[in-house]
Amino acid sequence: MAGMGTLRVGIVVPNPPFTGMPGGLDVDLANAIADALGDRAEFVDYRTVDEVLEALGSGDVDCAAGGLTATDGPVAFAPPYLIAGQALAVDAENHPNVHSVDELDGLTVAVQRGSAAERFAAQLKGPVKRCDRLDIDGCDAIVALAPVLTEYAKGRSDVDVVQKGLSVEHIALAVAGHDQQMLSRITVAQAELEEAGTLQQIRRRWLGNPYADQSLAVH
């Protein structure tokens, strides 16, 4: 639990648009939740999902963020503040005719280690390269959450996002599985932020639209 008015937030950095831009959607969200709780957010950076969830389990942080998807494990998740899907981006220069995961036969796909994309990519044909930091270098394609790939591809003529909606992922803040009090506090604070319109403003700032369900966004 948070003590002395400090909410210790473990974040996966960098993972734009959620973290590392500097700032990001999850940084704004955590600051808003801490403020609603009467606390101050103190951020602790981790390189991977596994590292931040381990810190959560050991009590080094009170909650975790950074584009985390609500999956089974030794942690608990607050209600999702964002619903998005896995997406596919390709090396546009070398594979201009690849437009879907059905055309990846024999091609190497990059995914972030420990992410929901890693589990999704396990179903695909061809080799998978697991990276701590998402990068298409040395690979033919990338599978990652659509907001992450959209941000990654900005300003890059060599990367095209060609397919979205490959899955439905609930993106949420995580707390230790045993810490039901912290889960309840964050859940209530997040609901209040949604009701007040604060969450819509945060999503619009970082994603260009206010929708919790990104399938409603105009592409």
Side-chain angles (χ1 to χ4, degrees):
M1 292 178 54
M4 302 300 292
T6 300
L7 181 71
R8 299 169 300 164
V9 185
I11 54 174
V12 180
V13 177
N15 195 27
F18 298 103
T19 65
M21 297 192 61
L25 192 159
D26 282 16
V27 174
D28 281 2
L29 173 60
N31 275 321
I33 286 177
D35 187 60
L37 295 175
D39 294 337
R40 177 183 61 84
E42 178 182 281
F43 294 96
V44 184
D45 296 352
Y46 296 91
R47 285 179 53 84
T48 68
V49 173
D50 288 344
E51 286 179 4
V52 75
L53 293 184
E54 182 178 340
L56 190 61
S58 65
D60 290 339
V61 295
D62 302 307
C63 65
L68 304 180
T69 54
T71 56
D72 293 334
V75 298
F77 286 90
Y81 59 85
L82 194 68
I83 299 173
Q86 301 297 336
L88 173 69
V90 299
D91 178 338
E93 296 177 349
N94 293 314
H95 304 290
N97 297 318
V98 174
H99 299 102
S100 78
V101 292
D102 297 328
E103 301 168 320
L104 291 175
D105 237 354
L107 301 183
T108 302
V109 178
V111 297
Q112 283 183 292
R113 185 177 286 107
S115 68
E118 183 179 23
R119 294 184 291 278
F120 178 85
Q123 309 167 30
L124 302 177
K125 299 176 181 178
V128 174
K129 180 181 179 182
R130 295 163 177 82
C131 315
D132 287 341
R133 184 172 181 175
L134 200 62
D135 198 337
I136 202 168
D137 290 348
C139 298
D140 304 299
I142 297 175
V143 170
L145 288 171
V148 174
L149 273 192
T150 299
E151 193 63 40
Y152 178 79
K154 282 182 179 178
R156 293 192 61 151
S157 60
D158 60 332
V159 178
D160 279 349
V161 180
V162 297
Q163 190 178 17
K164 294 183 178 180
L166 297 174
S167 65
V168 177
E169 309 288 355
H170 289 191
I171 303 170
L173 298 180
V175 302
H178 64 272
D179 199 346
Q180 291 303 304
Q181 183 175 357
M182 178 60 67
L183 179 62
S184 177
R185 294 180 73 210
I186 288 176
T187 297
V188 170
Q190 183 177 304
E192 291 173 350
L193 293 171
E194 193 75 73
E195 180 69 22
T198 304
L199 254 178
Q200 291 94 318
Q201 294 171 6
I202 292 172
R203 287 190 291 257
R204 185 184 293 278
R205 177 185 181 189
W206 295 104
L207 304 176
N209 67 78
Y211 304 112
D213 185 346
Q214 288 294 288
S215 67
L216 300 175
V218 177
H219 299 298

